[in-house]
Each structure stands twice: as C-alpha cells, then as structure tokens.
Amino acid sequence: MKNEAFSESIEMYLKTVSELADSEDLVPISALAERLGVSTVSATEMVHRLKKQDLLEHLPYKGVSLTVHGGRRACRVIRRHRLWERFLVDYLGLPWEKVHDYACRLEHATDTAVTEALAIFLDNPRTCPHGNPIPSPDGEMPDISDIPLIQMQPGDRGIISRIHPESILLLDYLAGRDIRPDQPVEFEEIAPFNGPLMVKIGEQTHALGQEIAAHIFVNCEDEVRNDEIA
Amino acid sequence: MKNEAFSESIEMYLKTVSELADSEDLVPISALAERLGVSTVSATEMVHRLKKQDLLEHLPYKGVSLTVHGGRRACRVIRRHRLWERFLVDYLGLPWEKVHDYACRLEHATDTAVTEALAIFLDNPRTCPHGNPIPSPDGEMPDISDIPLIQMQPGDRGIISRIHPESILLLDYLAGRDIRPDQPVEFEEIAPFNGPLMVKIGEQTHALGQEIAAHIFVNCEDEVRNDEIA
DNA sequence: GAAGTTTATAAGGTTGTCCTAATAATATAG
DNA sequence: CTATATTATTAGGACAACCTTATAAACTTC
C-alpha cells in the first residue's frame, strides 16, 4: 500500500467533498465546483478521474460521495490542515481568521512523519482553532452532535462549537464581530420572509444572514432536540 | 510589486542555481538539470522562461547566474527552507538527516506572514541544522568565509561549519558517521591518484571521497589562508 | 585545425489541470 | 405534462512542465 503521491488538486477535491458532505449526503458537482473555484466541466472531469481511482462515487444528477477509501484520504488532509492551524494560532500567534488560508497551502506539503511529530508537539489537540474536530492519524473523523445555528428555535441557548465549512470571507466577517467558538448564544427571533436571524452572542445581538447562520454550529443546552420538525 | 505567485518549479530552479552558484559563478545547465533530476532540454527550456522574467542570465555554453532580482527570490525560498529545518529538528525532534527533504516541500507552501512569524518563534536563528546561514527577510545571504574540506592542507585543523549543498543521500551518509557541524576536524593526508582524504573528525579517522569532501565546509584555525596555491 | 565532447536548439509528444461554448439528459415546479 | 432549471457531456483548446530523438553549434584538446 503506497502512501502519499496524491496531487494537490486531488487532495483539494477530496477534502472539499468531505467538508460539504456532512450537511448533506450527496454533494452536487456544482457545489464542489463553486467551492473550488473551477468550472463545472472541470469538476465533472475530475470526478470521473477520482471515481476511476475508487475514491468517490457519483450518482448522476444527484451528486458525489466519498468511498471509505476516499474518506480516509480526505481525513488525513484535514488532519494536517487543522493541526497546522493550531500551530499557527497557538505558537506563531497568527490571526484566527487568516490561518485557514495559510494551512490550506501547508496541508499539501506535509509528510506523515512531520504531521505526527507536529501532533505530538501540540499534545494531540482535539479541535482546530475554529472548533472543528481533528481526525485520527488513520483517517477517522470523530463524531459530533452539534447543530447549525439556523436550526435553533427562538429562545434556545447554547455555546458556539465551531465554524464550518470555513472560508476567509466568512472568518473575516465573524472575527470582526468577535463571533467564535465557546461564545454563548441565545437565539432571539427570525425575521419574516427568510430574513436574518437575531442572535445574542456574548453581550451583543447580531443580525445574521441565513447563509452565515448555516456555517455556525452550536451545542444546545440540555433539551429535547427536534431535528425533523425544524 | 506583486509578491508570491511563483510556481514550485520556478522556486526550485532559482534555489538550485543559488545553491550551486557559490562554488562557481556560472552554473552549467547540465549541473542544474542533474540536481533537479530533469533532462537538459527541460532545464534549457525553463532557463529561457526565467531569463524572460529577468530572474537569471545565461551565457550560452557557459552557464547561468541569478540576476539581483532572481537572487532575492532564491534567498527567500532558502530562508523558508532553513527556518523550517530548524523547527523540524529543534521542536519536532525529527532527524537531522531527514528534515532537508521535509523542508523542501514546506518551503513552497509558506506565506511570508508565516515565515516571519516562524522566524520570531524560533528567535531568528542564524543557521539551519546543517550549518548553512539563513538569509534575511528581504533576500540577502550573509557572508561566510569557510572553505571546503577538500581545500585543506595536511596538518590543518578546524571545525566543521556546514554541509552544502545538501542531499538526502549525503546527509544519511554523514549522519551514520556522526559527521556534523561543530565537530573538530584534522586533515591528515590525501591518498595519491585522487584517492580519498584521510580526516580525523571527533575521535574517529574517516576516509572521505573527494565528492563528499567538497560538500563539507570548515572554519580553519587561525592561519594564513592560501586559496590560490591550493 | 580536425576530432571528439559538451551544450543548445528544434520538432513532436505526453500528462494534468484548467477553460469556453454548445448540446443533451434529467429533475422540478407550475 | 410541459416549461424551466440544473446537471452532464462533448468538442476543441490552453498552458506549464516534463519527455525523447535528432541536429547544430561551440568549446577543448591533441
């Protein structure tokens, strides 16, 4: 079983499918293309190549999902990414909202030996600075049970657990408003006609667009969860 | 003046020219090609591209040299490389002889902001673990005045200053014999007919081939240097 | 200065990743 | 069920970086 030897492009595709997959099972190729900043034609082309390598499956007109094999590869990339983020924030003192992009480059240039030595140096952190869990060395993603802010009900309270999926624009926006993991949240109300969500975070009440609210995950206070009815 | 935006290939070419240049002013394209593991045709092609970008000059049938511009770019890559090496050895505890290869990958994936934060974290080290000086942030290479072991005279003593240029095979060989910077050396004799050099390093006497001896640099003990007559 | 080596260039190809534009197939909504 | 959307495919290219083979030019040495 040969290791390494995956191009940066392939790693980006696998990582992105994995990131987009945990909201929905099947990731539309268009979503993939958009997040990667390539045309749908290019994305389709690459999907075919990855399918041939048994890294993902494709249900035409529905979307793609990772195979077990592909999922493990993706998790290894994500592990490297999140470990680097921890290092960049905790040891190099770089800004929370910038390190995602820096780590996006480092993640493709890191040998397994370096990754694991880094993990030990960092004392095996559980999450990245944005709250996302760090997969195990063999490519297993820890289970989590938080919910996106947008699924909260008026009156619900909780603690921000993570920002996901990340992007520089989103993180910049949130950093400017001091919206980060570990902050307490209280969902106040949602404006009608698909309007913004009014949410109290820390001391401040924010009007958050629905898109943004889908990227903020929360550990709700002890209460019956009703995912379906939401 | 735009920064970044240099392909990994271009960075490798510039770095390699810089590494090979300090032995001789002009680097033959064949030497460049060999060290990069590409054909001379490919190297020639790339040299033309780099010439067009004013990164290096080419005297046909003689060799190439970096322009001021190209030299600065090369030094920035080398700076990143050597800082990473220090981190990998000093903080991650990775083996001296392996980190060169790990850093070769990281050096192309490191933003300036990360590089400078890393330099501060490492407390601005003067050299890499193999003894080579770390260029300044703006791309200036410190002056050094050591000589290759092969230029020593029988009876000369000194301290190993650095291994240069580095390669995994060379470093593995030297690591196996505990030949590293800061070790004392005493040149005993050179075998006739271009034979090996007999050199006492630490407590042990080694028979070193001339190729290897050209890669080991030494700070000689206070005495008149006679580069020419050598 | 001719012979042989080194270096350079020219011609033609491959691979990976990307593109646009046009068309075809399917899904979804009125 | 038809119209509109989305999704997929086909065709034709572009580009960077590599390759081999073959030829030409320049250097070096005797």
Side-chain angles (χ1 to χ4, degrees):
Chain A
M1 174 196 181
K2 61 183 141 187
N3 231 3
E4 321 297 331
F6 274 81
S7 78
E8 188 165 327
S9 273
I10 291 180
E11 289 191 343
M12 282 304 287
Y13 274 87
L14 295 178
K15 189 183 86 160
T16 306
V17 173
S18 173
E19 280 175 355
L20 298 179
D22 48 30
S23 13
E24 325 196 19
D25 314 24
L26 286 177
V27 179
I29 291 186
S30 53
L32 197 54
E34 197 195 335
R35 185 140 229 270
L36 288 166
V38 301
S39 72
T40 58
V41 179
S42 300
T44 304
E45 204 179 41
M46 184 59 116
V47 161
H48 290 326
R49 251 180 272 157
L50 297 180
K51 195 165 58 176
K52 215 165 279 169
Q53 292 185 248
D54 194 38
L55 292 165
L56 49 73
E57 276 155 19
H58 180 211
L59 284 186
Y61 298 99
K62 291 298 163 61
V64 299
S65 58
L66 294 172
T67 61
V68 177
H69 196 208
R72 257 191 266 112
R73 302 258 22 143
C75 279
R76 295 220 192 104
V77 180
I78 292 170
R79 176 174 169 81
R80 299 197 290 259
H81 178 99
R82 293 182 181 164
L83 287 170
W84 277 124
E85 284 187 334
R86 271 254 88 90
F87 173 70
L88 295 174
V89 166
D90 295 353
Y91 289 88
L92 298 196
L94 291 164
W96 184 82
E97 69 274 19
K98 303 284 181 234
V99 296
H100 175 70
D101 277 17
Y102 300 151
C104 266
R105 298 185 56 198
L106 290 169
E107 71 192 10
H108 307 294
T110 311
D111 286 71
T112 303
V114 175
T115 307
E116 296 318 317
L118 180 64
I120 291 168
F121 173 73
L122 296 172
D123 201 17
N124 291 299
R126 255 186 52 263
T127 68
C128 84
H130 312 101
N132 292 296
I134 296 177
S136 69
D138 51 311
E140 294 295 324
M141 182 71 81
D143 284 336
I144 34 179
S145 59
D146 50 12
I147 62 165
L149 209 162
I150 202 166
Q151 278 179 24
M152 289 174 86
Q153 303 296 309
D156 284 359
R157 294 152 178 276
I159 305 283
I160 296 183
S161 53
R162 60 194 177 108
I163 312 300
H164 181 85
E166 302 163 20
S167 71
I168 183 77
L169 264 123
L170 175 66
L171 293 170
D172 262 336
Y173 178 86
L174 298 178
R177 284 158 184 75
D178 222 48
I179 299 176
R180 304 185 255 99
D182 295 328
Q183 296 267 52
V185 243
E186 180 178 347
F187 189 110
E188 295 181 345
E189 55 166 344
I190 179 163
F193 301 106
N194 287 314
L197 289 66
M198 304 307 293
V199 186
K200 189 171 172 196
I201 298 176
E203 292 304 303
Q204 190 80 39
T205 294
H206 300 271
L208 299 176
Q210 302 213 3
E211 287 243 346
I212 285 175
H215 290 259
I216 300 173
F217 285 73
V218 177
N219 276 320
C220 270
E221 264 170 28
D222 217 1
E223 68 174 281
V224 183
R225 183 110 31 69
N226 32 8
D227 300 283
E228 295 80 5
I229 306 159
Chain B
M1 175 197 181
K2 60 182 142 189
N3 231 1
E4 319 296 332
F6 273 82
S7 79
E8 187 167 325
S9 272
I10 291 180
E11 289 191 342
M12 280 306 286
Y13 273 88
L14 295 178
K15 189 182 87 159
T16 304
V17 174
S18 174
E19 280 175 355
L20 298 179
D22 48 31
S23 13
E24 324 196 19
D25 314 25
L26 286 176
V27 179
I29 291 186
S30 51
L32 196 53
E34 196 194 335
R35 186 140 226 271
L36 288 166
V38 300
S39 72
T40 58
V41 178
S42 299
T44 303
E45 202 179 42
M46 184 60 116
V47 161
H48 289 326
R49 251 179 275 158
L50 297 181
K51 194 165 59 179
K52 215 165 280 168
Q53 291 184 250
D54 194 38
L55 292 165
L56 48 74
E57 276 156 19
H58 179 211
L59 284 186
Y61 299 99
K62 290 298 163 60
V64 300
S65 59
L66 295 171
T67 61
V68 177
H69 196 209
R72 256 191 267 112
R73 303 261 17 147
C75 278
R76 294 218 193 104
V77 179
I78 293 170
R79 174 173 170 82
R80 299 198 290 259
H81 178 99
R82 293 181 182 165
L83 287 170
W84 277 126
E85 284 188 332
R86 271 256 85 94
F87 173 71
L88 295 174
V89 167
D90 295 353
Y91 289 87
L92 298 195
L94 291 164
W96 185 81
E97 68 274 20
K98 305 284 182 235
V99 295
H100 175 68
D101 277 17
Y102 300 150
C104 267
R105 298 185 57 198
L106 291 169
E107 71 192 9
H108 308 294
T110 312
D111 286 72
T112 303
V114 175
T115 307
E116 297 318 317
L118 180 63
I120 291 168
F121 173 72
L122 296 172
D123 199 19
N124 290 300
R126 253 186 53 262
T127 67
C128 85
H130 313 100
N132 293 296
I134 295 176
S136 70
D138 51 309
E140 294 296 322
M141 183 70 81
D143 284 337
I144 33 179
S145 59
D146 49 11
I147 61 165
L149 208 163
I150 201 167
Q151 277 178 26
M152 290 175 84
Q153 303 297 308
D156 284 358
R157 292 150 180 278
I159 304 283
I160 295 182
S161 54
R162 60 194 175 107
I163 312 300
H164 182 85
E166 301 162 22
S167 70
I168 183 78
L169 263 123
L170 176 66
L171 293 171
D172 261 336
Y173 178 87
L174 298 178
R177 285 160 184 74
D178 223 48
I179 300 175
R180 302 184 255 98
D182 295 330
Q183 296 266 50
V185 244
E186 181 178 346
F187 189 108
E188 295 182 344
E189 54 165 347
I190 179 164
F193 300 106
N194 287 315
L197 288 68
M198 303 307 294
V199 186
K200 189 171 171 192
I201 297 176
E203 292 304 301
Q204 189 82 39
T205 294
H206 300 271
L208 298 177
Q210 301 213 4
E211 286 244 346
I212 285 174
H215 291 259
I216 301 172
F217 285 73
V218 177
N219 276 320
C220 271
E221 266 172 26
D222 216 1
E223 67 176 283
V224 184
R225 183 111 30 70
N226 31 9
D227 301 282
E228 295 79 6
I229 307 160

